[in-house]
Amino acid sequence: MLAQLRDFRPDASSDTPLYMQLANKLSDGIASGDWRANEALPSERVLSEMLQISRVTARKAIDMLCDRGMLTRRRGSGTYITPKLEQPLSRLTSFSEELRQRGFTAGSRWLQREIGIAAPLELLSLGLSPNMPVARLKRLRTADDVVMAIETSTIPAAYMPNPHNVTDSLYGYLEANGTVPMRALQHIRAINANIEQARLANIAPGTAMLHITRVSYLDSGAAVELTHSWCRSDYYEFVAESRR
């Protein structure tokens, strides 16, 4: 790969700033698979020497890709290719299952686990009667300790009397208790992160995110889960296969 780096050399005769040219070339290289997720990018010194540019130019290009979410700096270690999570819409799997299948370490940082009375939207989505108790879970979903999404889930208390018993995988808990979701309806829309979402996800306010609303159902047809996920669009991709 080091030999191929020479192809990324910016054109000094172009009107486009050198750092922007380099950032775009690196971005294209990452998108085409020249580097794998979590692979280290050559250092600023290596880039400047091989491409015959200043270290300031190399640093500005890397800064730009870090801002785009394509690169991640790790203190004392270097700069790495940010992992991407492609989640197929045709398969009902948990966040943890998808990450493990792709070689990542899935994790959760709990923000809330409690029992309360269902709110009107929860009643409607889950088909509950007024004043029915529900378990509410709120957490940050991480891949290799990087926050990928903010997630809130509401489960009828009949299926989850003690939400503190959920340690990591929500679907793992439901399956262990004989309430396996068999199908789900998902709605996906683009939003801009508010101040609180930006703080939790470690992004700038106004950054584009994907808001996914999912209602999952048991084989009996009863709704078992209402989940809202605010996913970082720089890490998350949804893939849908269409056939005719």
Side-chain angles (χ1 to χ4, degrees):
M1 186 61 219
L2 287 178
Q4 295 175 310
L5 270 179
R6 294 184 178 88
D7 297 335
F8 291 76
R9 182 176 299 163
D11 181 3
S13 64
S14 172
D15 292 334
T16 304
L18 297 181
Y19 77 90
M20 193 172 295
Q21 291 184 53
L22 177 58
N24 291 334
K25 288 176 180 289
L26 290 173
S27 175
D28 291 341
I30 293 170
S32 63
D34 290 340
W35 290 278
R36 299 184 301 275
N38 285 319
E39 184 177 352
L41 190 77
S43 67
E44 294 172 6
R45 179 185 61 80
V46 171
L47 289 173
S48 64
E49 291 176 355
M50 295 202 67
L51 303 180
Q52 299 178 6
I53 57 176
S54 70
R55 292 186 68 166
V56 172
T57 296
R59 185 178 303 118
K60 290 180 70 174
I62 291 174
D63 286 343
M64 179 175 287
L65 295 187
C66 286
D67 290 341
R68 293 181 188 175
M70 302 187 73
L71 297 176
T72 302
R73 278 196 172 92
R74 298 179 187 173
R75 188 180 299 276
S77 178
T79 305
Y80 293 81
I81 310 304
T82 301
K84 279 278 189 181
L85 176 60
E86 288 189 357
Q87 184 164 340
L89 293 174
S90 58
R91 189 170 69 242
L92 181 57
T93 56
S94 71
F95 178 89
S96 301
E97 290 171 333
E98 288 292 339
L99 285 181
R100 282 194 289 268
Q101 289 173 8
R102 286 160 174 75
F104 299 119
T105 300
S108 296
R109 300 178 197 168
W110 289 104
L111 303 176
Q112 177 186 23
R113 279 181 285 184
E114 66 178 19
I115 294 289
I117 299 301
L121 181 58
E122 295 168 331
L123 292 174
L124 181 64
S125 299
L126 295 171
L128 301 176
S129 301
N131 299 318
M132 290 289 288
V134 292
R136 294 193 184 95
L137 312 172
K138 183 175 182 179
R139 55 185 167 168
L140 304 180
R141 307 309 306 268
T142 63
D144 294 343
D145 293 325
V146 175
V147 176
M148 304 281 278
I150 306 163
E151 183 181 274
T152 64
S153 298
T154 303
I155 311 293
Y159 303 127
M160 186 181 289
N162 185 357
H164 287 274
N165 288 337
V166 182
T167 55
D168 184 22
S169 173
L170 172 59
Y171 276 26
Y173 170 90
L174 292 174
E175 183 173 358
N177 286 273
T179 48
V180 184
M182 299 303 296
R183 67 181 183 91
L185 295 178
Q186 296 190 99
H187 296 268
I188 304 174
R189 64 187 179 95
I191 65 163
N192 296 109
N194 61 30
I195 293 176
E196 177 65 8
Q197 291 163 348
R199 181 185 67 81
L200 292 174
N202 194 29
I203 55 178
T207 299
M209 301 187 81
L210 295 173
H211 178 208
I212 299 97
T213 302
R214 180 177 69 242
V215 180
S216 299
Y217 300 88
L218 302 177
D219 200 30
S220 65
V224 67
E225 170 209 17
L226 167 64
T227 290
H228 293 277
S229 301
W230 292 267
C231 303
R232 289 185 56 166
S233 59
D234 51 350
Y235 289 165
Y236 235 96
E237 293 180 352
F238 285 88
V239 180
E241 179 182 2
S242 299
R243 295 188 180 187
R244 184 169 179 174

